[in-house]
Amino acid sequence: MEFGIHIADFTWKSGPAQLGPALAAHVRNAEAAGIQRITVMDHFWQLPGIGPVDHEMLEAYATLGFIAAHTEKALLHTLVTGVIYRHPSLLAKQITTLNVLSGGRVGLGIGAAWNEEECKGLGFAFPPVAQRFRELEETIQICLQMWSDSEEPYEGAIWQLERTLNSPQNVTKPYLMIGGGGEKKTLKLVAQYADACNLSAMAEVPTHKLDVLRAHCDDVGRDYDEIEKTAMIAINPTSTPDEVATRVDALSDAGFAATYVFAAGIDEPARAVELIAGVAALAR
């Protein structure tokens, strides 16, 4: 089992003015503790359940660039980008830029987006769900084409690109994760395009979702074992390494290869790293 630390809460004891030094120390500490992946949310306001909406939230791709400059080995990506926030070719270029500058460590986590309140507040369009899923598939197709040798036009129902030139090209093929457990659309797109899925394991081990993914793989002729299965869990001030390791072992038994852990209500980043490292030492 690999472990990722998902930084979902930037409201730390050090305060907003010290977020730069605190984040730099946090990601260096995480990498030194053996955590193999570091991710951030792609939101502009804090999410319900983690903190008040006006708590600190950093823009994802600027933050990933900062994290890349302060780490050396960890895989970095969003968990996950809302497809409606950026034009597909800009998103593809952002990933490539970070992939090149990090020595090949940056990938793309993406999903159909859901936070209507945030979008209305800041003036982002929030199309109906069917439209968002059409945008998601076309965005994935555009990214994959821009990350290939092709410079051919792209003609989609939503997006039209005359030339998909992308220079410099990625150092490594970006890791492509599609987040979410929607059984009709999301997991079908995982089967068609993704290197990995990410499923919530907040309440229970989502074994049924894996069965659905396997069926979609059979339908599209994809090898189910090619897709990395990853899960998301939370820790809080009362969490213990033993308790969390038991949950992680259950995920491993179900076929999950990586667990992304985010902290809620822990205002000292070192405490989150210490807990995850303790879990990694105990988990099978």
Side-chain angles (χ1 to χ4, degrees), residues 113-246:
W114 61 269
N115 196 327
E116 185 173 6
E117 178 187 14
E118 180 182 67
C119 290
K120 287 182 175 179
L122 295 179
F124 287 95
F126 190 76
V129 64
Q131 169 80 3
R132 300 201 309 274
F133 273 98
R134 285 193 293 271
E135 290 190 24
L136 178 59
E137 183 164 20
E138 290 198 12
T139 295
I140 292 168
Q141 290 172 348
I142 289 167
C143 285
L144 292 175
Q145 183 163 326
M146 287 183 64
W147 297 339
S148 73
D149 293 332
S150 173
E151 296 181 18
E152 295 299 311
Y154 176 86
E155 293 290 339
I158 300 170
W159 305 107
Q160 294 81 44
L161 284 66
E162 292 187 2
R163 185 184 182 190
T164 53
L165 172 66
N166 187 34
S167 178
Q169 195 50 268
N170 296 287
V171 174
T172 60
K173 178 184 177 293
Y175 177 79
L176 175 58
M177 170 191 284
I178 298 176
E183 297 182 9
K184 292 182 179 179
K185 295 182 178 180
T186 303
L187 293 178
K188 182 178 180 180
L189 290 174
V190 171
Q192 291 175 300
Y193 298 106
D195 299 308
C197 65
N198 184 261
L199 299 170
S200 172
M202 304 291 285
E204 59 186 7
V205 177
T207 53
H208 171 68
K209 301 292 185 182
L210 296 184
D211 293 337
V212 173
L213 176 59
R214 186 184 292 274
H216 282 305
C217 287
D218 291 342
D219 289 343
V220 302
R222 177 85 184 273
D223 183 353
Y224 171 81
D225 293 330
E226 286 182 358
I227 299 169
E228 184 179 54
K229 292 80 180 175
T230 77
M232 171 77 79
I233 65 172
I235 55 175
N236 59 55
T238 67
S239 299
T240 67
D242 286 334
E243 167 216 338
V244 180
T246 298

